[in-house]
């Protein structure tokens, strides 16, 4: 792998059923997969980073990762000068999962009392307002008038979207404290659990305002990898999977 690589993305991808994963390293500036290893352990991620030349590793400025500790440990070991950046895509997923957890809990409680208000509403709470059709928005507004706990959880999730468009780290720190206080006041345990995790990884979240990098490139490559996997109807070996990913997503120089 030649050239300067300044912003890396490290992400996981399901390989087989039964919680079998691969870890993928991407060049966020170049929009390409650099390498793939089995499992998502610290040892595997160290191996992944070591596939870069020592000179290349020293030039890395940031690494976008999930808040998965093995990834962070490997980054600190092999590219200690690089900033960890916990990006919006993973955080949005955690917040969506928390909203859904509140919905499931509340739906069970309402259903036991004969109230079917939340039944069939799962995807309504996962959509962003700008992605709703007129009918979906009208139905959603009707749900929000019911003063549900799920509505409170959704509002807190949606409020946090403003964090990513702030213009400075100082403003982001102030906003995060304001949002955290609102989450605590809600007393909704799934949202509070995500907030507490974010507090523990706040430095990495705030590093977004230094580099403005996200794993959006990685998510796009993951979609392409999913198509590769589906067209092959699965792979018998990791090496076959890795070869196919690098061929189609590695931007290989095929010139003779």
């Amino acid at each position: 792998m030649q050239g300067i690589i300044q912003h890396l993305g490290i992400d996981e991808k399901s390989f087989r059923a039964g919680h079998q994963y691969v870890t993928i390293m991407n060049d966020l500036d170049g929009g390409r997969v650099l390498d793939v290893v089995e499992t998502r352990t610290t040892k595997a991620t160290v191996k992944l980073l070591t596939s870069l030349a020592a000179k290349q590793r020293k030039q890395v400025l940031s690494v976008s990762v999930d808040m998965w500790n093995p990834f962070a440990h490997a980054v600190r070991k092999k590219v200690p000068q690089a900033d960890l950046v916990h990006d919006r895509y993973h955080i949005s997923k955690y917040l969506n999962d928390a909203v859904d957890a509140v919905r499931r809990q509340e739906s069970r409680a309402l259903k036991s009392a004969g109230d079917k208000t939340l039944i069939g509403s799962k995807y309504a709470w996962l959509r962003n307002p700008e992605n709703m059709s007129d009918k979906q928005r009208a139905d959603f507004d009707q749900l929000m008038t019911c003063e549900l706990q799920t509505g409170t959880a959704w509002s807190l999730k949606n409020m946090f979207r403003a964090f990513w468009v702030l213009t400075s780290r100082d403003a982001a720190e102030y906003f995060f404290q304001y949002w955290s206080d609102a989450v605590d006041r809600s007393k909704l345990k799934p949202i509070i659990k995500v907030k507490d995790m974010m507090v523990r990884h706040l430095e990495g979240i705030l590093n977004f305002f230094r580099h403005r990098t996200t794993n959006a490139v990685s998510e796009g490559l993951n979609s392409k990898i999913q198509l590769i996997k589906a067209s092959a109807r699965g792979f018998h070996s990791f090496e076959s999977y890795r070869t196919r990913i690098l061929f189609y997503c590695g931007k290989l120089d095929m010139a003779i």
Side-chain angles (χ1 to χ4, degrees), residues 14-214:
S14 174
F15 173 41
R16 289 197 185 102
H19 302 289
Q20 292 191 47
Y21 293 91
V22 299
T23 303
I24 302 170
M25 178 172 65
N26 301 311
D27 172 7
L28 298 183
D29 295 321
R32 57 179 174 146
V33 174
L34 296 172
D35 207 350
V36 187
V37 292
E38 281 189 277
T39 74
R40 53 176 184 166
T41 62
T42 298
K43 183 177 180 180
T45 312
V46 166
K47 178 182 178 182
L48 197 61
L49 289 164
T50 306
S51 67
L52 294 174
K55 182 178 179 180
Q56 287 178 309
R57 291 200 300 272
K58 290 178 180 178
Q59 294 169 331
V60 174
L61 302 177
S62 75
V63 185
S64 287
V65 292
D66 189 3
M67 288 177 284
W68 173 248
N69 283 330
F71 290 166
H73 294 330
V75 169
R76 292 188 186 105
K77 183 173 183 178
K78 300 307 295 183
V79 282
Q81 81 287 348
D83 289 332
L84 281 170
V85 179
H86 300 309
D87 69 286
R88 63 186 301 174
Y89 290 91
H90 287 114
I91 291 169
S92 294
K93 180 181 183 303
Y94 285 125
L95 289 171
N96 272 328
D97 289 347
V99 172
D100 197 48
V102 173
R103 179 197 61 81
R104 292 197 306 271
Q105 291 172 4
E106 190 171 23
S107 184
R108 285 193 294 268
L110 291 174
K111 188 177 178 181
S112 67
D115 187 334
K116 299 181 179 180
T117 299
L118 281 171
I119 293 177
S121 69
K122 175 179 178 178
Y123 294 104
W125 303 105
L126 300 181
R127 296 186 191 100
N128 291 325
E130 66 271 16
N131 296 328
M132 295 179 184
S133 66
D134 291 342
K135 183 179 184 306
Q136 287 170 342
R137 187 57 193 255
D139 291 343
F140 185 76
D141 288 345
Q142 184 63 38
L143 275 175
M144 289 296 286
T145 65
C146 297
E147 298 185 1
L148 299 163
Q149 290 182 343
T150 308
T152 300
W154 180 88
S155 295
L156 289 166
K157 177 204 77 166
N158 202 51
M159 182 194 302
F160 196 78
R161 296 174 68 203
F163 177 87
W164 305 107
V165 298
L166 296 171
T167 57
S168 72
R169 180 188 173 104
D170 287 344
E173 285 188 88
Y174 180 85
F175 177 91
F176 186 83
Q177 186 58 58
Y178 174 84
W179 179 80
S180 296
D181 291 343
V183 169
D184 287 336
R185 288 194 300 272
S186 77
K187 299 183 180 179
L188 297 173
K189 290 183 179 179
I191 296 284
I192 291 172
K193 183 178 179 180
V194 174
K195 182 269 299 179
D196 288 344
M197 177 178 64
M198 292 166 68
V199 169
R200 295 194 298 272
H201 295 88
L202 186 56
E203 186 63 27
I205 296 171
L206 292 172
N207 279 338
F208 168 79
F209 295 93
R210 181 176 183 183
H211 298 282
R212 299 282 174 175
T213 57
T214 79

Side-chain angles (χ1 to χ4, degrees), residues 208-243:
F208 168 79
F209 295 93
R210 181 176 183 183
H211 298 282
R212 299 282 174 175
T213 57
T214 79
N215 252 350
V217 170
S218 296
E219 295 304 313
L221 289 167
N222 275 348
S223 297
K224 191 171 183 180
I225 290 167
Q226 186 61 34
L227 288 174
I228 292 168
K229 184 178 175 182
S231 65
R233 293 183 170 84
F235 291 89
H236 294 294
S237 70
F238 163 72
E239 283 304 324
S240 296
Y241 189 42
R242 176 178 178 270
T243 299

